[in-house]
Amino acid sequence: MSERKVLNKYYPPDFDPSKIPRMKLPKNRQYTVRLMAPFNMRCKTCGEYIYKGKKFNARKEDAENEDYLGIRIYRFYIKCTRCLQEISFKTDPRNTDYEIEEGATRNFMALKLAQEQEKREEDAEKEEEATNPMKLLENRTQQSKQEIELMESLEELRDLNRRQGNVDYDSMLLKYNPAELKEQIKRMQEEEDENTVKSLMGIKRKIDENDDEELLESEDNMTESIVKNVITSTAQTSAKKKVSKLNLLNLVKVNNVTSINKTKESCNSLSLIGNYSSSDDSN
């Protein structure tokens, strides 16, 4: 694909750059640049908050007669997004920061102000020591006292270390062997695994034995019930057979009794006939 914006330009063969007229620009010319707000700020006129990183079309210029170790200082002008009030700030290469000048106040300056106050106090102390020899002497005596207290505390700590320094750390380090420790840990883990497996196997055996005993008891009960059923069935059949035999015998006896009775009746009838015949003959 071809470029969207072609940067190459055609220069004719008779082009002479020295014939181009030079423009007379002002000494402190302002350039329009695109930038982002370097810190949070608040407009003084309308109170609008401008957060860090908000984009602006700003005017840039060099700060006259201001530099830091040969580094140029630039000034920027932006406008408030609400009231269009002009806000100006400039670079601060000494502190690698930006410094607000007019139109707004910077927010969240507590840390920076504390650092500046601390620096001012240190500078004031140095100046006072340089001008007042008594203050310098007092500061030195105070520092010497602090050093003596520190040395005493260090001596006490050394005495404590000597009292408790009976342990031979070199021998302990020599005895310490990570490979052996790993092997011991592995051995202990294997023993624990074996013990757990043995305990589980013992529990399983007990459960199996209890199951076997229950099965044997159930089998014995089954066999006993079967034998009892067989005995009762045989007894019943034998009893039935006996009853049938007795019944047959009773029937035979009954038949015999009936025949005897019949013979007795026949005899009686014959005797009656004989008696009757005898009575007729007598007549």
Side-chain angles (χ1 to χ4, degrees), residues 51-265:
Y51 58 87
K52 182 180 178 180
K54 190 171 180 63
K55 293 181 180 179
F56 292 95
N57 291 323
R59 291 182 289 114
K60 170 191 161 186
E61 68 178 9
D62 294 339
E64 293 181 356
N65 301 321
E66 290 185 21
D67 63 347
Y68 175 71
L69 301 176
I71 300 168
R72 287 184 183 179
I73 294 172
Y74 298 101
R75 186 177 285 110
F76 301 94
Y77 299 95
I78 60 173
K79 289 184 178 180
C80 177
T81 55
R82 186 175 179 185
C83 64
L84 301 178
Q85 172 66 29
E86 194 171 63
I87 300 166
S88 65
F89 57 89
K90 63 181 180 180
T91 58
D92 187 8
R94 184 170 188 170
N95 300 314
T96 62
D97 199 1
Y98 291 84
E99 184 180 353
I100 192 80
E101 284 187 326
E102 290 180 0
T105 56
R106 186 169 177 175
N107 298 334
F108 309 110
M109 289 281 291
L111 182 61
K112 188 176 180 182
L113 292 172
Q115 289 174 354
E116 289 177 355
Q117 183 67 25
E118 187 178 356
K119 192 173 181 182
R120 283 197 295 270
E121 287 176 359
E122 287 178 359
D123 293 337
E125 286 178 359
K126 286 179 182 178
E127 287 178 0
E128 191 177 0
E129 286 178 359
T131 55
N132 191 358
M134 292 299 292
K135 186 71 175 177
L136 180 63
L137 185 62
E138 287 176 0
N139 291 334
R140 283 182 180 176
T141 52
Q142 191 175 0
Q143 286 177 1
S144 62
K145 283 181 182 179
Q146 288 176 358
E147 288 176 358
I148 290 164
E149 288 175 358
L150 287 170
M151 291 296 290
E152 287 176 356
S153 62
L154 283 170
E155 286 293 332
E156 288 177 358
L157 290 170
R158 284 173 184 169
D159 292 334
L160 287 170
N161 289 328
R162 286 194 200 97
R163 290 172 193 168
Q164 298 175 358
N166 297 321
V167 181
D168 191 3
Y169 295 104
D170 295 330
S171 62
M172 289 177 69
L173 289 169
L174 289 170
K175 287 179 182 178
Y176 175 73
N177 192 354
E180 291 181 359
L181 279 173
K182 284 180 182 177
E183 288 178 359
Q184 288 179 1
I185 291 163
K186 192 174 180 181
R187 233 178 277 132
M188 289 172 69
Q189 288 177 354
E190 288 177 356
E191 288 177 358
E192 287 179 358
D193 293 337
E194 288 178 359
N195 292 326
T196 52
V197 169
K198 285 179 181 178
S199 64
L200 290 170
M201 290 296 289
I203 292 163
K204 190 175 180 183
R205 283 175 186 171
K206 287 180 182 178
I207 292 164
D208 293 336
E209 287 175 358
N210 293 325
D211 292 336
D212 293 335
E213 289 177 358
E214 290 176 357
L215 287 169
L216 289 169
E217 288 178 357
S218 63
E219 287 177 357
D220 293 334
N221 294 325
M222 288 289 288
T223 51
E224 286 178 0
S225 63
I226 290 163
V227 168
K228 286 179 181 178
N229 291 324
V230 170
I231 290 163
T232 52
S233 63
T234 52
Q236 287 175 0
T237 52
S238 63
K240 285 179 181 179
K241 286 179 181 179
K242 285 180 182 179
V243 168
S244 62
K245 285 180 181 179
L246 290 170
N247 290 327
L248 288 170
L249 289 169
N250 290 325
L251 287 169
V252 170
K253 286 180 181 179
V254 168
N255 291 326
N256 291 325
V257 169
T258 52
S259 63
I260 288 162
N261 291 324
K262 282 178 181 181
T263 53
K264 282 180 179 180
E265 286 177 356

